[in-house]
Amino acid sequence: MRVLFLDSSSNKMSLAIYENEYLLHLSLTELSNKFNEELLDFVDIILKKLSLTISDIDNFFVITGPGSFTGIRIGVSTLLGLALGNKKKVFGISTLDAAALVINKFYNRDSFRVGIKLRLKEYAVREYNFGLNNFSDYRVENLNSTQDLMFVDKLEIPLTYAYLHKKFEHFVTDYNPFYMRKSQAEINFDKKSCT
C-alpha cells in the first residue's frame, strides 16, 4: 500500500510517501506565498521522481490542525481534489496527535503534554500517556508558564513520521480541518454581526 502524507499546518511543509512502512520520499520545504499554486506541481515532481502517478497512491493523509488556517485549508483541499479525482480516500490526523506519536516513538517518552500556540497566551493542549493508553480531551488553555509542554514547532522530526507509529491508525480521523478557535477574521465578523 502506498500512502501520501502531507503536513502544511505550519510555515514548513512536510510531504512523505510511504510504501507499507518504508519511507520512499520525504520533502521538507518552507512555504511560500504561492504555496496554493505550487503544491500540485510539487506533488507531481515528487511522483515523477519516484516513477509513480497519483493513481498509484492508495491512501492520502493530511494534518488537519490546529495550525495555520491557510496552510491547513490548502493542504486538505489539495489532497481532497487529488484523492476524489482518483476515487481514493483522504484521512486526517490532528497536529497534536501526530506530534504525540512522533514524541512517543522517536523521543522515547510515554507521558507528556503537547501544545501549540494559538494566539496571545492561548495554547491548544492535549495530554498523552501511552503506557496507560490514556489521552485527555483537546482543550484551549491560557498559560503563563509553558515549562511542562512539548511544543509541536520545536520538534526536529517531521510530523509525517507519525505514520510509522504502531498506534497511528488509533488517531486517524476524517479530513475536516480541526480548528480549536475561530480565525481573527471570524472573530471580527462575529463582532460586527452582533452590533
Side-chain angles (χ1 to χ4, degrees):
M1 176 178 290
R2 291 191 191 100
V3 164
L4 188 149
F5 192 175
L6 175 68
D7 174 19
S8 58
S9 65
S10 69
N11 61 344
K12 293 181 182 169
M13 182 191 72
S14 171
L15 189 142
I17 297 178
Y18 292 93
E19 185 159 5
N20 300 317
E21 70 274 6
Y22 299 104
L23 179 65
L24 297 179
H25 180 86
L26 174 68
S27 289
L28 300 169
T29 186
E30 294 283 330
L31 295 184
S32 71
N33 290 335
K34 296 183 178 185
F35 170 57
N36 59 333
E37 300 169 20
E38 299 169 345
L39 183 56
L40 285 173
D41 289 337
F42 190 72
V43 170
D44 189 48
I45 289 167
I46 292 166
L47 290 173
K48 284 180 180 172
K49 181 179 171 183
L50 297 171
S51 300
L52 298 172
T53 66
I54 202 67
S55 61
D56 293 323
I57 303 298
D58 299 301
N59 285 320
F60 296 81
F61 292 95
V62 64
I63 300 288
T64 57
S68 162
F69 283 90
T70 303
I72 291 165
R73 287 192 304 261
I74 291 170
V76 168
S77 61
T78 300
L79 285 197
L80 194 56
L82 290 171
L84 292 178
N86 287 282
K87 296 180 175 53
K88 305 290 173 81
K89 292 186 178 183
V90 179
F91 303 95
I93 184 170
S94 81
T95 311
L96 297 172
D97 292 343
L101 293 170
V102 166
I103 291 165
N104 178 246
K105 182 171 180 67
F106 296 99
Y107 292 79
N108 202 26
R109 301 266 315 257
D110 270 348
S111 182
F112 50 88
R113 287 170 28 109
V114 176
I116 186 169
K117 189 169 179 61
L118 298 176
R119 70 186 288 267
L120 302 174
K121 292 183 179 181
E122 287 184 340
Y123 292 83
V125 176
R126 191 171 192 201
E127 296 172 23
Y128 299 84
N129 188 322
F130 283 89
L132 298 176
N133 212 26
N134 188 13
F135 315 108
S136 75
D137 292 333
Y138 304 97
R139 59 185 177 270
V140 175
E141 295 182 8
N142 285 310
L143 300 174
N144 290 320
S145 173
T146 58
Q147 290 178 356
D148 69 329
L149 285 180
M150 297 197 71
F151 287 100
V152 172
D153 59 341
K154 302 285 188 216
L155 299 179
E156 296 177 5
I157 297 172
L159 297 185
T160 51
Y161 272 60
Y163 182 75
L164 297 172
H165 196 288
K166 63 185 177 197
K167 292 190 178 186
F168 177 76
E169 293 291 328
H170 175 79
F171 292 95
V172 170
T173 63
D174 63 23
Y175 56 80
N176 291 317
F178 179 49
Y179 303 126
M180 294 191 67
R181 64 172 290 281
K182 292 182 177 183
S183 70
Q184 193 60 46
E186 291 170 312
I187 292 168
N188 292 342
F189 179 79
D190 288 347
K191 285 180 184 175
K192 288 180 182 178
S193 299
C194 293
T195 56

